Amino acid sequence: MDIKNAFLNGTLSEEVYMQPPPGVPSPPNKVSLCSDGYYLSQVKYASDLLARSGIIDSATTPTLLDSNVRLTYFNGVPLQDPTLYRKMVSSLVFLTVTYPNIAYAVHIISQFMSNPYIIHFTAALHVLRYVKGTLGHGL
């Protein structure tokens, strides 16, 4: 479905699932009609991300990043396998489409993709715990 033009040609009364172009492994976004207009949410995507990260049973946090933590390129112990960190941060970048309030925190943690340390991974988990607490939010 041509989503760009679909909203220009009439009233939308059903849920629409947008799919990325072939070859892009992202799940669909959910668009539905609410009383004030359109509501865009990535609840399923965020829930799957939380499950993949293993923090389904973790507590939520009301803040994005601890203001006392200063992330630098040489903070502590490097991660042995940065693959999970890279996947997690890449997924968070995609999630900023419907969670623009996490954009700055994701920008900060994405600076360490090439050489992440444990403190960077901990910061990414903190952002995920914030997302967990705000799953019902959307645009």
Side-chain angles (χ1 to χ4, degrees):
M1 176 181 251
D2 185 5
I3 296 301
K4 277 187 175 179
N5 295 323
F7 299 117
L8 300 176
N9 298 320
T11 304
L12 184 66
S13 61
E14 65 276 344
E15 292 183 354
V16 175
Y17 292 91
M18 297 179 284
Q19 301 229 347
V24 178
S26 302
N29 297 323
K30 181 179 178 185
V31 178
S32 57
L33 187 63
C34 63
S35 60
D36 297 331
Y38 296 101
Y39 178 74
L40 181 64
S41 173
Q42 291 179 306
V43 173
K44 171 90 170 88
Y45 184 79
S47 298
D48 291 347
L49 174 57
L50 294 170
R52 284 193 316 267
S53 302
I55 65 164
I56 292 291
D57 297 326
S58 297
T60 61
T61 183
T63 60
L64 276 165
L65 290 177
D66 186 3
S67 59
N68 296 326
V69 174
R70 299 287 178 243
L71 300 176
T72 64
Y73 286 99
F74 303 106
N75 269 33
V77 181
L79 286 175
Q80 292 293 325
D81 182 16
T83 306
L84 177 61
Y85 178 80
R86 290 178 181 145
K87 287 180 181 179
M88 186 184 310
V89 174
S90 297
S91 296
L92 284 168
V93 168
F94 182 76
L95 199 60
T96 61
V97 171
T98 55
Y99 287 83
N101 55 330
I102 67 170
Y104 179 73
V106 172
H107 163 73
I108 296 297
I109 61 174
S110 67
Q111 295 177 22
F112 308 102
M113 296 276 277
S114 62
N115 193 21
Y117 283 67
I118 290 176
I119 193 163
H120 305 136
F121 185 75
T122 304
L125 288 174
H126 191 86
V127 173
L128 282 173
R129 284 194 293 276
Y130 173 82
V131 168
K132 180 183 177 194
T134 58
L135 272 180
H137 295 189
L139 295 177

